[in-house]
Amino acid sequence: RSVQSSTSKSKSKAMAKIVEEEEQEEEEDEDPGLSCGCFFCAIKQPDARLRRASVAAFFRELPYSEHDDGGAVVAVWRAAMDAPDDPELPSLGAIRCMSLLLARTLADAAWCRRGQNACVPYYAAHVVGSYTIRSSAHAELAVAAGAVRPLLALLGGAMTWVEQRAAARALGHLASYDATFPAVARCADEAVPLAVHAASTCIGDVYANYVALAPSKRPKYQRDLLTRGLVGAGVDAAEDRKAEEWASQLQCWSLYFLSCLASRDPSSHATICQDHGFLSELCRMWGGLANGDSPAGVGLLRLLCRSAVGRGAIAACPDALSGLCDLAQSSDDWQYMAIDCLLLLLDDHDTWHAVADATAPCLVDLAELRRLGPRRRLGDAITSALLLNDDDDGHVRGRALGAEAKESVASLREVKIERKEREEAMSRDELLERKLVAKEKKRQGNDMFWHGEVARAIELYTEALEVCPLSARRERLVLHSNRAQCRLARREADAAASDATRALSLARPANAHARSLWRRAQAYDMKGGMARESLLDCLAFAGAWIDGRKHGRQQPAARGANQQKLPYCVARMIGKQMGVTGLFAGVSAGGGKARRDDRIGSDDRMPRCSDGDDDGDDEEDDDGDACDHDGSEEEFYDTELRFCRSVSGLPIM
């Protein structure tokens, strides 16, 4: 009986298990995630095993579906944006599915036009880019799924600029990993010209095919992409701003893709440099203010300067050299990259003769730089490069320099070598006496300036600079800045910019002297064609002004109602240059041309700008020099504005 009882219990348990499994199978048959094949239902399945199975099945079937599947692709895009490092969906076939969808949209135009499918190629390319932004494993999945070819087709303009933007982003990520770079490099002969063309033409393309059109004539799906999440009366203006932002991103991502290729494959340099028009504009491809973190064009130029082919092509392109010199004499975050490019060109015997005449006057103004970005002792590097194998006759490496370059190199040699040696041999008392003489000449120069004798003031400031000891850095900074103001009054824009640049090179940290920033901004505006450099100096000055208010560096009498806002002349200059440097300014009707009659005048007045003795408490930086932080800026807040007229009748402060 005990044996029979045990057998009966075993049979009962077995039957109960069978019944449970049958009920579970019935529940599975009724599960919406498996019955309808919908991504939204499948992803909500609480059971992990069932969810993975249903999602994998959905990704297998989606590329071959004849339905309107735009909504499902958008859902996958949201998941990729929210969790780009999550391996679940990529492991279930999301990246392979998006790659197949890209191939289908390129091959089946009728399907792509159906319902929401018009947005599928953009979202599919964006999903690939999002999942590969930080994961080499996901990038390998994309390459294995054949994503490179469809992405290259989109980059080449197979569809529109919207899909081109997403494709450039994804290709840049695929080219940034060691594991996936070879797959991209195999297509380099095709990819490089496509990326060069995209970077060169994308701004004009976006403007002509979208921004310049009336809202009613713009493709609806593109408008939906740009205005996602935006509501209210300002949607149209926000749409235009978004289009400008996306255009700048398309340019920056195309340049990033080229930089990945150039950094890993030097053989691509020759292909990149074939387009001389691209090289001419490369230094000015900066992507707009919204892309301050991207080195953009100058980053690619620095990579090209590391190969003989690249150096030769850049040295033969006057516009590229001019752009590098302009950037080197600006307050841009990537100023040091431009200086690096110029030094690499000067260090090459084969390119020296082609670049020395164009770059020497620019680099001499920067010879006092210490630390700039991650680079230290830049001034010493500049001096070594310019004086290398230089003789007293102005011949460098056996070639004669032009008159301006010869004069610049001679002045650098006199200051950095000959004068330095003379002053090192002087006694402390003699140096102090020279410093006092320079101070007196500066005082006389200030008096001449206020009485309208600007030419005489320039002479006195120059004499003061000749006797002022090189160790009196702060005094020399003030003299150069004051002389820049005088030259502005005489409308000598080039000389004013040179003096202001020398003053900013002497500042610690570099570019920290606010008055010199403002004066150089005016000089660049006066020259014309340098609106971007003028804008950057204006913004840096505005930051220093606001920082001075925030930390209470104004004089008590200067904190009245009239001194609580940014000076009107600065705000006006910023607005003017923003209009000229807008991303679409060069391609819009009449854009990119500064008004010649809108220069320094009565509206561009600043509070009193003459520099005093600038004595104050300084901090020591890593190089042993005092940190300025523009400690003398209290003169900016003097409530008394002093005006006079120069010999040309211009108002000066």
Side-chain angles (χ1 to χ4, degrees), residues 88-143:
E88 182 177 29
L89 293 185
S91 67
L92 297 177
I95 294 178
R96 177 180 179 277
C97 175
M98 297 300 114
S99 301
L100 292 174
L101 282 173
L102 287 175
R104 180 173 184 180
T105 56
L106 292 169
D108 191 347
W111 177 86
C112 190
R113 290 193 296 267
R114 189 179 305 156
Q116 296 185 53
N117 288 348
C119 66
V120 167
Y122 168 78
Y123 283 118
H126 208 293
V127 167
V128 175
S130 296
Y131 275 127
T132 57
I133 190 170
R134 289 190 296 265
S135 174
S136 175
H138 292 170
E140 292 182 59
L141 290 175
V143 169

Side-chain angles (χ1 to χ4, degrees), residues 521-536:
Q522 295 176 93
Y524 285 158
D525 178 64
M526 188 182 294
K527 287 178 65 174
M530 299 188 70
R532 175 175 175 262
E533 289 76 13
S534 176
L535 173 61
L536 291 172

Side-chain angles (χ1 to χ4, degrees), residues 33 47 87 165 186 201 259 277 306 318 354 359 383 430 439 500 504 528 549 556 633:
D47 187 286
R165 166 183 173 268
R186 283 194 290 270
T201 62
S259 296
R306 291 174 179 167
T359 61
T383 302
E430 189 174 358
K439 185 175 181 179
L504 291 167
R549 291 182 56 214
E633 286 306 307

Side-chain angles (χ1 to χ4, degrees), residues 481-527:
S481 188
N482 282 7
R483 194 168 67 175
Q485 178 67 28
C486 293
R487 284 172 165 164
L488 273 177
R490 291 170 61 86
R491 302 192 70 80
E492 298 172 358
D494 289 324
S498 175
D499 265 322
T501 299
R502 292 186 181 221
L504 291 167
S505 298
L506 283 163
R508 301 290 183 267
N511 301 323
H513 192 249
R515 270 165 287 188
S516 298
L517 285 168
W518 172 244
R519 288 163 182 168
R520 190 170 68 178
Q522 295 176 93
Y524 285 158
D525 178 64
M526 188 182 294
K527 287 178 65 174

Side-chain angles (χ1 to χ4, degrees), residues 337-639:
M337 284 194 179
I339 297 175
D340 282 347
C341 292
L342 296 177
L343 292 178
L344 288 169
L345 293 170
L346 288 173
D347 287 339
D348 188 341
H349 177 79
D350 294 330
T351 56
W352 174 278
H353 64 282
V355 303
D357 284 335
T359 61
C362 159
L363 290 175
V364 166
D365 292 340
L366 303 167
E368 299 285 356
L369 281 172
R370 286 291 185 90
R371 181 171 56 187
L372 194 61
R375 295 296 305 274
R376 293 175 179 268
R377 306 289 182 184
L378 264 179
D380 294 341
I382 290 171
T383 302
S384 299
L386 289 177
L387 299 183
L388 186 64
N389 294 336
D390 174 50
D391 57 37
D392 295 334
D393 295 328
H395 288 73
V396 183
R397 301 179 187 246
R399 298 177 183 270
L401 290 175
E404 185 179 7
K406 181 178 179 180
E407 182 180 354
S408 299
V409 173
S411 66
L412 181 65
R413 185 193 317 110
E414 198 279 331
V415 171
K416 285 291 192 177
I417 297 179
E418 299 170 4
R419 182 173 168 183
K420 184 178 180 181
E421 292 176 352
R422 291 197 304 268
E423 291 187 2
E424 287 176 350
M426 292 180 185
S427 65
R428 186 174 181 178
D429 291 340
E430 189 174 358
L431 289 173
L432 179 59
E433 181 181 354
R434 291 171 67 89
K435 187 174 180 180
L436 292 174
V437 171
K439 185 175 181 179
E440 175 60 22
K441 287 185 177 295
K442 185 188 77 170
R443 186 193 63 77
Q444 296 173 8
N446 290 347
D447 290 341
M448 291 295 101
F449 177 80
W450 294 124
H451 287 87
E453 299 292 336
V454 181
R456 178 56 182 159
I458 292 176
E459 293 177 3
L460 288 167
Y461 290 141
T462 303
E463 292 173 6
L465 282 168
E466 291 173 353
V467 299
C468 187
L470 297 177
S471 58
R473 178 186 58 82
R474 184 66 185 177
E475 289 75 8
R476 293 166 58 220
L477 183 159
V478 172
L479 288 167
H480 277 297
S481 188
N482 282 7
R483 194 168 67 175
Q485 178 67 28
C486 293
R487 284 172 165 164
L488 273 177
R490 291 170 61 86
R491 302 192 70 80
E492 298 172 358
D494 289 324
S498 175
D499 265 322
T501 299
R502 292 186 181 221
L504 291 167
S505 298
L506 283 163
R508 301 290 183 267
N511 301 323
H513 192 249
R515 270 165 287 188
S516 298
L517 285 168
W518 172 244
R519 288 163 182 168
R520 190 170 68 178
Q522 295 176 93
Y524 285 158
D525 178 64
M526 188 182 294
K527 287 178 65 174
M530 299 188 70
R532 175 175 175 262
E533 289 76 13
S534 176
L535 173 61
L536 291 172
D537 284 348
C538 283
L539 294 175
F541 167 77
W545 176 282
I546 294 170
D547 184 65
R549 291 182 56 214
K550 185 183 300 182
H551 294 86
R553 290 201 289 267
Q554 303 98 320
Q555 295 179 3
R559 297 175 187 170
N562 294 332
Q563 297 292 333
Q564 295 302 312
K565 296 180 180 180
L566 194 68
Y568 170 71
C569 56
V570 180
R572 177 176 177 269
M573 180 78 82
I574 291 175
K576 171 186 175 181
Q577 306 300 21
M578 285 287 286
V580 176
T581 59
L583 199 64
F584 298 128
V587 294
S588 59
K593 298 179 181 179
R595 296 192 302 274
R596 294 292 178 180
D597 57 344
D598 194 9
R599 299 303 183 201
I600 307 301
S602 58
D603 288 334
D604 286 318
R605 296 171 179 169
M606 279 295 297
R608 179 183 174 188
C609 291
S610 66
D611 290 285
D613 293 340
D614 297 309
D615 295 328
D617 296 329
D618 293 329
E619 302 174 6
E620 293 295 318
D621 67 3
D622 294 339
D623 296 322
D625 287 313
C627 292
D628 297 324
H629 300 293
D630 222 4
S632 61
E633 286 306 307
E634 63 271 7
E635 290 193 14
F636 266 118
Y637 308 99
D638 192 341
T639 54

Side-chain angles (χ1 to χ4, degrees), residues 220-247:
K220 182 179 182 303
Y221 86 96
Q222 292 184 358
R223 298 197 68 192
D224 292 341
L225 291 174
L226 289 166
T227 59
R228 177 178 293 277
L230 300 176
V231 293
V235 171
D236 289 344
E239 180 182 337
D240 289 344
R241 289 195 299 270
K242 197 72 172 179
E244 182 175 1
E245 179 184 341
W246 280 23

Side-chain angles (χ1 to χ4, degrees), residues 4-79:
Q4 290 177 352
S5 175
S6 176
T7 304
S8 177
K9 291 180 180 180
S10 299
K11 290 182 178 180
S12 298
K13 290 180 179 180
M15 289 299 295
K17 186 175 181 180
I18 292 172
V19 171
E20 183 180 354
E21 291 177 353
E22 289 177 351
E23 291 176 352
Q24 185 176 353
E25 290 177 0
E26 291 176 0
E27 291 177 358
E28 290 179 2
D29 292 339
E30 295 175 359
D31 185 82
L34 294 179
S35 60
C36 70
C38 172
F39 177 77
F40 302 99
C41 298
I43 203 69
K44 294 178 182 178
Q45 171 58 249
D47 187 286
R49 181 178 63 85
L50 297 178
R51 182 179 67 251
R52 290 177 60 84
S54 56
V55 170
F58 169 78
F59 284 141
R60 285 194 300 270
E61 297 171 4
L62 179 61
Y64 311 103
S65 172
E66 294 299 327
H67 303 292
D68 179 357
D69 296 311
V73 178
V74 172
V76 178
W77 169 77
R78 286 200 186 99

